[in-house]
Amino acid sequence: MQKHEFKAEIAEMLDLVVNSLYSKKEIFLRELVSNASDAIDKAKFASLTDKTIDLGHGDWKIEIAVDKTAKTLMVSDNGIGMNLEELERNLGTIASSGTKAFRKALKEKEGSDLPELIGQFGVGFYAAFMVADKVRVISKKRGTDEAFMWESDMTGGYSTGSSQREGFGTSVMIHLKNEYEEYLDEWRIRELVKKYSDFISYPINYRKVDIPADEKEEDRKRREESEAKPLNTMTALWKRAKKDVKDEEYAEFYKHLTHDWEDPFETIVFSGEGQVEFKALLFIPKKATMELYMPNQKRGLSLYVRNVFIGDDIEMLLPSYLRFVKGVVDSSDLPLNVSREMLQDDAIIAKIKSAVTAKILSTLETLKKDEKKFNEFWAAFGTVLKEGVCVDYSNAERIKKLLKWPTARNDSGKGVFLEDYVKDMGSEQKDIYYLLSEREDDARKAPQLEAARKHGCDVLLFCDPVDEYLAEQLREFDGKKFVDIARGDVSFGSEAEQKAEKDANEKASAEMKGFLEAMKSELGEKVSDVRVSTRLTDSPCCLVAKENALSPSMIRMMKAMKNDVPEEKRILELNASHPLVKKVSEMKGEELSDAVTLLYDSALIAEGSPVTDGARFTKLLSALMLK
């Protein structure tokens, strides 16, 4: 036997599991059974590509053996098994980020019933330590001749060494603490398997170890009959008719699949027929997980071929913007020896992906009719769904109809669908107006909104980071173009109103020609032009971009990513009728220079951008306040 110390993060994790996670200790059995099922799945999958792996007769099974006298419970499988290196890697280490995330989740749930968090962070095995004071694992990997043992009593480390085991697979034996002896009762084990693992597709058998030497014949027969029957029904939920499956069964399968602690938000059951045949069981979670926006995280659906597990996280089955969807696809048209590389270009997979995508979008379209429920979905996954317009051109129009934004006129926090925005447009409004901003509060106060408000035009507020990219892809909806009110030349109102404003602007521009040139000279390289505005009614000035220029927030984002970004000189627009502008136009020399700086910096602040010279701005503002 060789003694090892736990990594610091493992010791911390074990402490968190045992001392902080006090809700539903019973889930330890679910986690151990799930691990056993996964081990069998891995054995079956590995045999498809590695012909040296002998599956024998394929008599797959999971066994729960109980010894009340010794106070032990053992979960065994005849799956893939582990060698010594794998035992140490899988049971002796864990990513420290998992510990950090686990602690954060515990903190957020402080004061309420703590959910079953363990499995979500890849440490389901350690759930055993919630009820046990000692755990022993014996495993023999398929294709090898030697078995190995891993053992720990949580006193600071673990031991490993050679062992003996009949047949391939893994056995996890736990010695229960006195207060958890209820998990040695047969009725309790049956109850938990039915509750959590009834859908496992391998038989889960029960066996009593401490049989009395003087066991009566009638008791022996009763025991043997009981042990001969699997504890679970073993029927894959996606193969059963929806009317024959309870919501609770779907919920438990979802938890088994995702290790989420909550029921799914929406369950989608359907079959593909015609050119390709498959069955799918899909789930939309209630909340977004922390890895949703992490580019290297695994995502996708689990794939089975005629009940044989092929792999999980199959990305080819699901477009990236629907990566929040979890579930299973079972196809009868794919070959059993299919590999991930083959799936990449498989025509059947492409058709399944298309059908799955269409079904999910159809479900969301139905969900849209229930405002409260759709708003709950949107709050969790709306930002991700928006990506679909940029990457799924065949479904872009369907996706657009599912998107919502806050608007300048609507501050309910619920957002407005494009269809509703278009319905509310006045007869004179030809385009869909939007404004980009990093914060909704800044957008609502933006001076660029003033002329739109004056003419009764609502404006979509694009404040999600993804909206920066989305704005370039939307182009049009219902025959109407998307127009950024902070770029290029924008006019509102009827043709007569636009002509009147244009004439007034030309007149004001002629009268202020000298002042406009002086301001442009004073600002130098900071702006590309200074001109009279058609957008402003109350504010003295604002900054606008050229027609095809990058927005300020996009430039800041690209710079933060260390990209080389050309400087975008913008246009400073002035409200010719504003008293402050009229006052500044009368100034000369240093007084004019200071006033121009303050005007320009105030335009930056109004849009949420930093001033170019904070020290000078503060000095000038202080001097102005003293006057």
Side-chain angles (χ1 to χ4, degrees), residues 9 12-13 16 94-104:
E9 59 268 19
E12 184 181 10
M13 178 64 75
L16 287 169
I94 183 175
S96 59
S97 60
T99 305
K100 183 179 179 181
F102 185 76
R103 294 186 64 180
K104 180 181 178 183

Side-chain angles (χ1 to χ4, degrees), residues 206-219:
Y206 172 84
R207 180 167 63 88
K208 186 177 180 181
V209 176
D210 53 332
I211 303 167
D214 57 349
E215 182 181 32
K216 295 179 180 179
E217 181 63 20
E218 58 188 43
D219 291 336

Side-chain angles (χ1 to χ4, degrees), residues 397 400 418-419 421-433 474-483:
E397 293 306 311
K400 286 180 187 179
L418 289 176
E419 289 169 307
Y421 177 93
V422 170
K423 286 178 185 177
D424 289 341
M425 286 170 53
S427 58
E428 302 292 343
Q429 184 178 343
K430 306 301 181 186
D431 300 317
I432 297 172
Y433 299 121
L474 285 169
R475 293 189 177 87
E476 66 173 43
F477 176 80
D478 196 21
K480 295 170 175 58
K481 292 191 303 181
F482 283 83
V483 173

